[in-house]
């Protein structure tokens, strides 16, 4: 896997945090992987990440301040080896627009990373700060799983 796109709904909470954790941890692991994130929706295109996401990520040592939200586009399904959705709703929305030839690139993030439970990264947008900390913790577990998967040659 040399490129991966992480996808949530707004691209301001979950996928930017997972992208930041991936960028830092892949580099630390010496893995050369092209990472990015995007949203299925266009509500927040061009905006910075949610300030609660920036704060939780910073607590764990990850920097999300340079992020600007973008929407998934057709070229993403060709460019990225893997397109990893945060939840089933994101995965279903992606499946509608993903070309049939590339459908195997589309996977649910945590199960693809070898995490059996939970299978989804819950949307923290309408909740409190604890939900954002939980996103960082799941991001760390998931990226750890992806690194193990890549080291095993999968
Ligand atoms: P995200 O969170 O998908 O993790 O970026 C959300 C951000 C915005 C909205 C919903 C979820 N929204 O409804 O605007």
């Amino acid at each position: 896997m040399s490129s991966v796109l992480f996808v949530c709904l707004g691209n301001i909470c979950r996928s930017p945090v997972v992208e930041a954790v991936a960028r830092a941890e892949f580099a630390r692991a010496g893995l050369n992987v092209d990472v990015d994130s995007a949203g299925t929706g266009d509500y927040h295109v061009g905006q910075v990440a949610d300030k609660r996401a920036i704060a939780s990520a910073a607590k764990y040592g990850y920097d999300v301040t340079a992020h600007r939200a973008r929407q998934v586009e057709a070229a993403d399904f060709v460019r990225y080896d893997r397109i990893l959705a945060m939840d089933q709703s994101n995965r279903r929305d992606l499946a509608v627009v993903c070309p049939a030839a590339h459908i195997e690139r589309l996977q649910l993030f945590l199960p693809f990373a070898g995490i059996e439970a939970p299978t989804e990264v819950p949307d923290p947008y309408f909740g409190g700060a604890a939900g954002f900390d939980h996103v960082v913790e799941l991001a760390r577990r998931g990226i750890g799983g992806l690194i193990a998967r890549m080291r095993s040659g999968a």
Side-chain angles (χ1 to χ4, degrees), residues 7-16 39-40 43-44 50 52 86-87 90 121-126 132 135:
V7 176
C8 61
L9 173 59
N11 193 218
I12 57 168
C13 298
R14 291 166 293 174
S15 60
T40 57
Y43 324 105
H44 298 282
D50 189 290
R52 298 165 296 175
M86 296 300 112
D87 65 30
N90 305 145
V121 181
D123 184 349
Y125 187 67
F126 294 106
F132 285 83
V135 168

Side-chain angles (χ1 to χ4, degrees), residues 1 6 10 15 25 28 39 45 66-67 80 94-95 100-102 109 113 121 131 133 138 146 149:
M1 186 167 72
F6 300 103
S15 60
E25 300 302 339
R28 220 188 304 271
V45 168
H67 177 74
Y80 291 94
L94 287 165
H102 295 313
F109 169 50
V121 181
D133 287 353
L138 289 176
L146 277 191
R149 192 189 161 110

Side-chain angles (χ1 to χ4, degrees), residues 50-93:
D50 189 290
K51 60 181 186 299
R52 298 165 296 175
I54 293 173
S56 286
K59 265 203 300 197
Y60 290 78
Y62 302 102
D63 184 3
V64 191
T65 55
H67 177 74
R68 297 295 180 274
R70 76 170 179 91
Q71 188 175 24
V72 173
E73 56 191 28
D76 290 326
F77 296 105
V78 179
R79 165 151 186 217
Y80 291 94
D81 299 332
R82 296 291 175 187
I83 298 154
L84 302 181
M86 296 300 112
D87 65 30
Q88 292 286 12
S89 164
N90 305 145
R91 196 192 56 76
R92 276 193 300 271
D93 290 343

Side-chain angles (χ1 to χ4, degrees), residues 105-126:
R105 298 180 181 198
L106 182 54
Q107 302 282 341
L108 203 53
F109 169 50
L110 292 174
F112 182 75
I115 310 295
E116 286 181 13
T119 56
E120 302 184 301
V121 181
D123 184 349
Y125 187 67
F126 294 106

Side-chain angles (χ1 to χ4, degrees), residues 140-152:
R140 286 173 51 80
R141 281 178 65 192
I143 296 304
L146 277 191
I147 290 171
R149 192 189 161 110
M150 283 186 263
R151 284 192 170 137
S152 76

